[in-house]
Amino acid sequence: MKKIFVLDTTLRDGEQAPGNSMLAYEKTEMALQLEKLGVNVIEAGFAAASIDDAESVKQIAGVVKNATVCSLSRCKKEDIDIAYNALKNAAHARIHLFLATSPLHIKYKLQMAEEEVLKKIEESVGYARSLFKEVQFSCEDATRSDRAFLLKAIGVAIKAGATIIGLPDTVGYSYPEEIKAMFSEVVAAYPNVVFSAHCHNDLGLAVANTLAAIEAGAMQIDCTVNGIGERAGNTSLEEVILALHTRRDHFGAETDIVLRQICPTSQMLSAITGMKIPPNKPIVGKNVFLHESGIHQHGVLQNRCTYEILDPAELGIVQNNIVLGKHSGKHALTEFLESMDIKMSPSEMNELFERFKELADKKKVVTYKDIMYLLSHGHNVKTTRTYNVDSYSIATIMGSSAVAMLKLRTSDGVKVGEGVGDGPLDAAFKTINRIIGKDFLLLDWSSSAITEGEDALGAATLRLELNGKQVTGRGVSTDTVEASILAYVNACNKLLQ
């Protein structure tokens, strides 16, 4: 079995897509989960892009101990220096340089001659190698590059000190046979170098192209959780990993990914970005293990393999006979988690148990899905809150305005406000704006049930804007209005921080 290294770029390429921006503490929380997932390299950001990006990379580099932390960088000395300062305290660090090599990019974007491109690669990789033990160089738009020039650029980068070479399908233009031919040629030319596949999904071929690259000798793959990324997204981590795992008879490859952490990681990212997972999303969609057809149901009851090629238990979806409720103690919750191979520190368990008891007071039975949601939404509790919802009441009559009264608790005490709106949420949101004294602008709102039953947990997700900055707010409750108010205040706190 050949070893395939996984570079996760959720926090860099994934975050570049509209609506996926994350705050520093959210990126750090996600990075720690990626480390639990078993990714080899976490591309934490593009340090030179902004002060916030540099700080996020620095924070992640300070807490991640097992995985390599990486920053993307242009072939510019100032970018390389910023990346070095952000990563210098990392246990394992890598810089990822990139420069376009396709005729289209060289002529219109770079406006350089080919010899100038080669010189820039040589100088930048050489300088980066003087600061970093690990240097990755990627030929942007490799799949549309002239093959002879591509091989020449790779040779220059290797000679200057790069040990990992990325060949991105930057605009998702290629197809599997073409990818396989390209990787076969470069691997044959430079057999002692790790080549990496970075595929975009514009034509829906990212996973297929990544698997084709592995067949041709790629030893590293770039992925994002849930396949998020620019335009149509990147190679979906969970899809390519389960393809390798399920068809290891064909690919003969393995990774360090912990399969049981795939679903929790997917749910956490969905919670942070507010981007819902489509029900038919391979591997992590809620319909993957549901069967409505009578023929399918009969087959699965006789033998699961008739219509399921994946084992839900392997992905951390475990059926459990322990019934949890408001009378359950910490020992029962611990046993429940241990049955799913989830281990927590005493402080983490205390924090989870506190939120579990809050939920159990509202529900008769706390289900597996409830627990998984609490686990994947743990980051909400760790934020530094400026305002907390103390209490609220809303009066509304069909066909007339709604009146809301809210109390928000701050470090200075409780602030009270009232407001009128077209409906209960409009009234509540206007009241919160009045209490805080800011004109927060609501851009988007949605709610959905995340568990079953009459006392199901509901999740509200919304996007809020203030002075041009947008954030995602989330709230969870058995009451939709309460979940929405919590989500609004959550977003307000982010914008104020």
Side-chain angles (χ1 to χ4, degrees):
M1 300 289 282
K2 60 184 177 184
K3 173 71 174 291
I4 303 298
F5 297 93
V6 177
L7 181 150
D8 183 276
T9 185
T10 301
L11 302 177
R12 198 276 302 171
D13 206 338
E15 199 218 8
Q16 288 177 195
N20 286 344
S21 59
M22 308 177 214
L23 301 179
Y25 77 89
E26 292 173 318
K27 287 185 178 181
T28 303
E29 193 79 13
M30 193 69 211
L32 290 171
Q33 179 59 32
L34 291 171
E35 187 173 34
K36 286 183 183 179
L37 179 62
V39 304
N40 304 102
V41 184
I42 299 172
E43 192 163 62
F46 190 163
S50 68
I51 294 174
D52 286 345
D53 253 37
E55 183 59 31
S56 295
V57 173
K58 184 178 180 180
Q59 287 184 24
I60 292 168
V63 297
V64 170
K65 302 303 178 187
N66 298 319
T68 296
V69 180
C70 172
S71 173
L72 189 71
S73 173
R74 292 174 295 184
C75 285
K76 293 186 175 183
K77 183 178 182 298
E78 55 268 33
D79 280 24
I80 297 169
D81 288 337
I82 292 172
Y84 173 73
N85 287 327
L87 292 168
K88 61 184 179 182
N89 293 322
H92 311 282
R94 177 189 297 185
I95 190 168
H96 181 186
L97 298 170
F98 73 97
L99 192 65
T101 54
S102 69
L104 186 67
H105 279 235
I106 291 173
K107 180 179 179 180
Y108 291 102
K109 188 179 78 170
L110 300 181
Q111 297 181 352
M112 298 167 67
E114 287 187 348
E115 288 305 314
E116 291 178 292
V117 172
L118 296 177
K119 184 178 180 182
K120 176 68 75 173
I121 293 172
E122 181 182 25
E123 292 174 350
S124 301
V125 173
Y127 179 64
R129 190 67 180 82
S130 71
L131 300 175
F132 291 88
K133 291 182 179 179
E134 278 191 24
V135 177
Q136 176 173 334
F137 175 77
S138 287
C139 304
E140 186 183 9
D141 208 23
T143 54
R144 294 193 293 178
S145 298
D146 173 77
R147 193 63 55 81
F149 181 71
L150 180 66
L151 286 165
K152 192 180 294 185
I154 291 170
V156 170
I158 293 170
K159 188 175 180 180
T163 55
I164 306 102
I165 300 293
L167 300 178
D169 186 20
T170 303
V171 291
Y173 172 79
S174 200
Y175 56 90
E177 289 82 359
E178 194 173 37
I179 289 281
K180 190 178 292 187
M182 179 181 69
F183 273 89
S184 295
E185 187 171 346
V186 298
V187 169
Y190 303 102
N192 297 319
V193 175
V194 173
F195 283 94
S196 180
H198 180 106
C199 299
H200 280 262
N201 204 38
D202 296 69
L203 297 178
L205 294 170
V207 171
N209 284 339
T210 299
L211 293 172
I214 291 172
E215 289 180 314
M219 299 301 291
Q220 177 181 290
I221 53 176
D222 297 3
C223 312
T224 61
V225 176
N226 295 342
I228 69 169
E230 293 181 289
R231 303 182 312 278
N234 290 45
T235 299
S236 169
L237 182 146
E238 55 277 0
E239 292 177 31
V240 75
I241 293 302
L242 264 298
L244 292 176
H245 175 74
T246 305
R247 294 307 310 273
R248 50 191 178 275
D249 61 313
H250 172 75
F251 293 103
E254 61 183 1
T255 70
D256 291 327
I257 296 297
V258 181
L259 298 185
R260 279 177 170 263
Q261 290 294 337
I262 284 178
C263 282
T265 307
S266 170
Q267 291 170 0
M268 176 180 281
L269 181 66
S270 176
I272 289 175
T273 61
M275 183 175 287
K276 293 182 181 179
I277 302 168
N280 64 332
K281 172 75 167 68
I283 315 303
V284 293
K286 69 177 183 179
N287 287 356
V288 173
F289 298 105
L290 297 179
H291 303 278
E292 185 173 336
S293 164
I295 295 174
H296 286 211
Q297 290 173 345
H298 176 73
V300 168
L301 289 173
Q302 299 304 312
N303 186 318
R304 182 185 59 80
C305 294
T306 54
Y307 288 102
E308 290 182 5
I309 60 171
L310 304 173
D311 182 355
E314 285 189 317
L315 304 178
I317 304 172
V318 181
Q319 298 300 318
N320 200 304
N321 293 323
I322 299 175
V323 177
L324 296 174
K326 66 179 182 179
H327 299 299
S328 300
K330 192 179 296 184
H331 181 70
L333 179 60
T334 302
E335 278 194 20
F336 190 95
L337 295 174
E338 287 179 350
S339 71
M340 296 186 288
D341 288 348
I342 296 175
K343 297 179 181 180
M344 307 185 79
S345 68
S347 60
E348 289 174 330
M349 177 57 72
N350 289 337
E351 184 268 331
L352 178 66
F353 185 68
E354 182 180 334
R355 290 187 294 126
F356 161 75
K357 295 297 284 186
E358 289 177 6
L359 178 60
D361 285 337
K362 300 177 181 179
K363 297 196 65 178
K364 295 176 183 177
V365 175
V366 179
T367 66
Y368 160 81
K369 287 187 178 180
D370 293 324
I371 297 298
M372 292 306 296
Y373 203 79
L374 290 176
L375 288 169
S376 64
H377 285 62
H379 59 277
N380 285 335
V381 177
K382 297 179 182 180
T383 61
T384 303
R385 292 176 175 176
T386 305
Y387 292 91
N388 288 280
V389 179
D390 186 85
S391 64
Y392 73 91
S393 64
I394 300 176
T396 182
I397 299 175
M398 190 173 186
S400 63
S401 300
V403 179
M405 192 281 287
L406 275 96
K407 293 182 179 179
L408 299 182
R409 185 174 297 279
T410 73
S411 57
D412 299 325
V414 176
K415 295 185 177 183
V416 182
E418 292 185 359
V420 178
D422 294 332
L425 295 184
D426 185 47
F429 297 162
K430 286 178 177 176
T431 302
I432 294 169
N433 283 7
R434 182 172 297 174
I435 293 173
I436 297 176
K438 300 285 185 181
D439 292 325
F440 299 107
L441 177 63
L442 180 65
L443 301 176
D444 186 42
W445 171 90
S446 65
S447 68
S448 60
I450 54 175
T451 56
E452 296 82 20
E454 61 181 17
D455 57 354
L457 266 182
T461 303
L462 51 80
R463 289 198 68 77
L464 218 56
E465 181 179 301
L466 181 67
N467 299 327
K469 184 177 182 181
Q470 297 181 16
V471 299
T472 300
R474 295 166 302 278
V476 181
S477 174
T478 52
D479 179 85
T480 303
V481 172
E482 181 176 312
S484 300
I485 292 173
L486 292 172
Y488 198 91
V489 172
N490 176 247
C492 291
N493 285 334
K494 289 183 180 181
L495 288 168
L496 293 172
Q497 291 168 24

